[in-house]
Amino acid sequence: MRPDAPSYDVATVRAQFPALAQTVHGKRLAYLDSAATALKPQAVLNALATAYGRDMANVHRAVHELARRATEGYEAARARVARFLGVADASSVVFTRGTTEALNLVARGWATPRLREGDEILLGELEHHSNLVPWQMVAEATGARLVWVPVPVDGVVRAEDYLERLGARTKLVALTHVSNVLGTVLPVAEIARGARAVGAITVVDGAQAVPHVPVDMTALGCDFYAFGAHKLYGPTGIGVLWGRRERLDEIVPQQGGGEMISIVEREASRFKEVPHRLEAGTPHIAGALGLHAALDWYAGLDQAALHAHEARRLAEATVGVEALGGRVIGAAPGKVAALSFVMEGIHPHDLGTILDHEGVAIRGGHHCAEPLMDALDLEGTARASFGAYNDHEDVAALLRGLERARALFAPSP
Amino acid sequence: MTDALDALYDAAIVRRAREARAVRVPEGATHRAKVHNALCGDRVEVGAVLSEAGITELGFRARGCALSLAAAHLLRELLAGRDVEEARALTRAFRAALEEGVPPEDPALAEALAPFLPVRRFPSRVRCATLACEATEEALEP
């Protein structure tokens, strides 16, 4: 295993994360659960402190100075997100509570009013429950049918797997950009092109992709893209639904209230334009500012060096886990930042407890992807996932913990 | 050097967990229940064959961690041949020992449960060790 390349200074990155300064059960913390949520750099914590401690006011309402700063900050965050997504129109960025709320907004506000009995929703077995249960609810409400794309055991997803299931009845394709279990990067652009050709829209769950792969809406060609800030080093409770402007205009608001109306009369109201019509109530102002800070912080990293760094962690962990007899789940070329594996005879939760005791934080279980676990005939997996701050020592701690687990579970003589 | 992990994964637990994988729900079970721990996805299905004499056979199908498997394995051993009232009392005492730290009055139960007590130092794992009890209680409900 090689040390980190000089182009990426992981020690400098680590120094920006206060959470990494602690010990857990008396051990150095090896945080390998960034696919669940990433730790937060000081820049994000500072932005939250400024939002609550200095520029605190409600947005789009009062004329006083603090309200001006809060409103400008909130709208600047929206523009920053648009830039991150490679789009010019900031009004195509809707703030939500997170990925799940964004996907549910499309399901309830766009799909449920439009789909009819006999229509088809195409989705993969590998989807996270957040991009699966909303479509079950749409199917239940409208009589539309779910058409499943199977996942091969190697975790490699091919565009043809989707394209060959598209037809005149397909109205919507729901897919993740990056699998939270397998690390597979899906060929979104090719699938979205095929979907458009049959008149279907494409809804992409970007939760796992945003911290690891470039996300350019023009290149992807999807209709909706959802992600949360918290896996991208930002705060919890804030996320984004990006949509093509004409698609966003078609969404029926699911919440009415302040912030989203232009005129309210006794019997009816007129709504504002998007994005505001989809953001009823006081938004998570500090969250938006924290997301802005996270995007700035993230953009400050040398992207090519970061991706290479994370790929190196993934590669050395893969080699180490396999050397200890672990079976790695998911072998897609170019997979990113998540290593799912099983150790024969040791349940993932036992691994989780044992590793925790060694200061190593991983996730064990079905990863909110039960249909995928069923398809792969797995009870669950252990998942180590990597972020900007993981160094060689984190992987070494993981492997030491796995050795310990093997020793504890070895048949007694 | 031994520590809390050595205590939690005592050889008796590991052995029981391994043996538990071969256990099945008896065919012709007269009483059955399935429980599911939504937190971790563990599932235990318990089935018992009851006659007038009591529990003639009890088995389970468990999908989960070593603690849930080992606990199911022990419970099966403890309940075989008991009548329903005895079985309920044992199951209650089993849970009370792990959930609340109440020492079992029955010395045989106390001895059998001893390897499980370190789970009390891992609060997030206690329910793993009581899942089989929950399923058994549900299966034996009148």
Side-chain angles (χ1 to χ4, degrees):
Chain A
M1 295 180 194
R2 292 191 310 269
D4 296 298
S7 63
Y8 188 84
D9 183 3
V10 72
T12 304
V13 172
R14 290 177 65 81
Q16 298 172 59
F17 287 81
L20 289 173
Q22 67 192 305
T23 55
V24 171
H25 305 304
K27 306 278 169 58
R28 173 188 186 271
L29 170 63
Y31 188 78
L32 296 175
D33 199 18
S34 297
T37 199
L39 302 177
K40 317 306 174 199
Q42 189 62 48
V44 169
L45 305 182
N46 291 348
L48 293 172
T50 302
Y52 283 119
R54 196 187 70 193
D55 298 338
M56 189 74 259
N58 214 328
V59 294
H60 305 134
R61 288 181 176 81
V63 295
H64 58 75
E65 170 63 15
L66 265 55
R68 181 191 64 77
R69 284 190 221 153
T71 302
E72 283 180 11
Y74 184 70
E75 291 306 323
R78 196 190 304 280
R80 181 67 185 86
V81 171
R83 188 148 63 84
F84 173 69
L85 296 173
V87 297
D89 178 12
S91 74
S92 62
V93 172
V94 178
F95 284 121
T96 64
R97 279 197 300 137
T99 308
T100 300
E101 187 174 84
L103 293 168
N104 274 279
L105 179 55
V106 178
R108 295 270 174 138
W110 191 90
T112 302
R114 273 181 175 66
L115 268 55
R116 298 282 173 267
E117 194 168 348
D119 288 345
E120 292 179 354
I121 298 169
L122 188 60
L123 76 169
E125 285 175 345
L126 85 174
E127 292 302 325
H128 187 283
H129 295 165
S130 61
N131 199 21
L132 189 161
V133 179
W135 309 118
Q136 290 176 335
M137 293 164 83
V138 170
E140 174 73 26
T142 63
R145 194 166 75 88
L146 301 180
V147 177
W148 292 93
V149 180
V151 182
V153 285
D154 59 6
V156 180
V157 179
R158 297 160 192 86
E160 300 80 66
D161 300 338
Y162 283 78
L163 299 178
E164 67 195 17
R165 290 175 172 81
L166 288 167
R169 292 168 180 270
T170 315
K171 291 293 180 292
L172 187 150
V173 180
L175 77 165
T176 189
H177 193 175
V178 169
S179 161
N180 68 315
V181 177
L182 305 167
T184 305
V185 182
L186 273 71
V188 172
E190 214 178 328
I191 295 167
R193 221 171 15 250
R196 173 147 321 110
V198 299
I201 71 153
T202 308
V203 184
V204 180
D205 169 359
Q208 296 292 337
V210 284
H212 301 300
V213 297
V215 284
D216 180 306
M217 295 304 105
T218 312
L220 290 179
C222 56
D223 293 86
F224 291 109
Y225 195 92
F227 70 95
H230 72 99
K231 295 186 206 295
L232 187 55
Y233 310 98
T236 57
I238 183 88
V240 167
L241 174 67
W242 173 84
R244 289 178 187 276
R245 184 55 199 266
E246 62 272 27
R247 288 288 92 72
L248 285 176
D249 285 338
E250 289 167 353
I251 291 183
V252 178
Q254 297 301 295
Q255 297 187 336
E259 189 77 11
M260 55 84 74
I261 37 76
S262 56
I263 296 170
V264 178
E265 291 168 343
R266 278 174 182 257
E267 304 303 325
S269 302
R270 244 184 293 153
F271 302 153
K272 282 183 186 162
E273 297 288 301
V274 292
H276 305 292
R277 65 187 287 153
L278 300 174
E279 293 179 3
T282 297
H284 188 2
I285 303 162
L289 298 180
L291 170 56
H292 190 164
L295 290 171
D296 284 348
W297 178 85
Y298 182 74
L301 301 173
D302 176 333
Q303 296 293 301
L306 169 67
H307 297 325
H309 170 80
E310 290 178 346
R312 206 156 42 234
R313 289 291 88 84
L314 179 63
E316 66 189 23
T318 302
V319 169
V321 165
E322 286 181 337
L324 289 169
R327 178 159 67 95
V328 171
I329 310 298
K335 71 185 263 193
V336 290
L339 176 65
S340 276
F341 60 95
V342 291
M343 303 285 285
E344 180 64 30
I346 314 180
H347 193 272
H349 292 128
D350 296 314
L351 279 180
T353 295
I354 294 164
L355 290 167
D356 173 56
H357 198 77
E358 301 293 326
V360 181
I362 62 147
R363 168 96 190 266
H366 55 55
H367 310 295
C368 299
E370 288 192 72
L372 174 62
M373 294 295 137
D374 290 342
L376 300 179
D377 196 22
L378 294 167
E379 287 184 15
T381 72
R383 182 190 67 190
S385 52
F386 305 95
Y389 34 67
N390 290 121
D391 59 8
H392 176 71
E393 178 51 30
D394 292 337
V395 176
L398 167 70
L399 300 178
R400 280 198 303 275
L402 294 179
E403 284 190 62
R404 178 87 201 272
R406 281 216 317 181
L408 285 166
F409 276 77
S412 36
Chain B
M1 195 185 76
T2 63
D3 61 11
L5 277 185
D6 293 298
L8 184 66
Y9 294 105
D10 179 88
I13 302 272
V14 173
R15 178 185 54 79
R16 283 189 187 280
R18 196 175 298 123
E19 291 175 10
R21 292 181 193 280
V23 178
R24 294 288 178 269
V25 175
E27 281 185 32
T30 53
H31 293 64
R32 285 170 183 265
K34 253 188 228 183
V35 295
H36 178 225
N37 182 356
L39 182 72
C40 60
D42 285 2
R43 290 170 196 193
V44 177
E45 181 182 6
V46 164
V49 182
L50 257 64
S51 67
E52 288 192 355
I55 299 175
T56 46
E57 197 184 351
L58 183 131
F60 59 84
R61 181 96 178 93
R63 202 181 86 164
C65 65
L67 298 172
S68 65
L69 289 167
H73 188 267
L74 171 60
L75 200 62
R76 174 174 185 254
E77 216 170 85
L78 292 169
L79 300 191
R82 306 275 183 167
D83 69 35
V84 171
E85 277 318 306
E86 287 172 339
R88 284 204 190 110
L90 263 168
T91 308
R92 264 198 308 275
F94 193 121
R95 279 183 80 154
L98 298 185
E99 289 171 354
E100 295 151 43
V102 181
E105 286 172 19
D106 175 353
L109 178 62
E111 193 188 335
L113 270 182
F116 288 85
L117 294 182
V119 77
R120 291 189 41 76
R121 290 175 60 185
F122 297 82
S124 66
R125 303 297 303 277
V126 169
R127 190 158 178 234
C128 303
T130 58
L131 209 58
C133 291
E134 282 179 44
T136 304
E137 282 169 0
E138 208 178 304
L140 296 181
E141 261 172 29

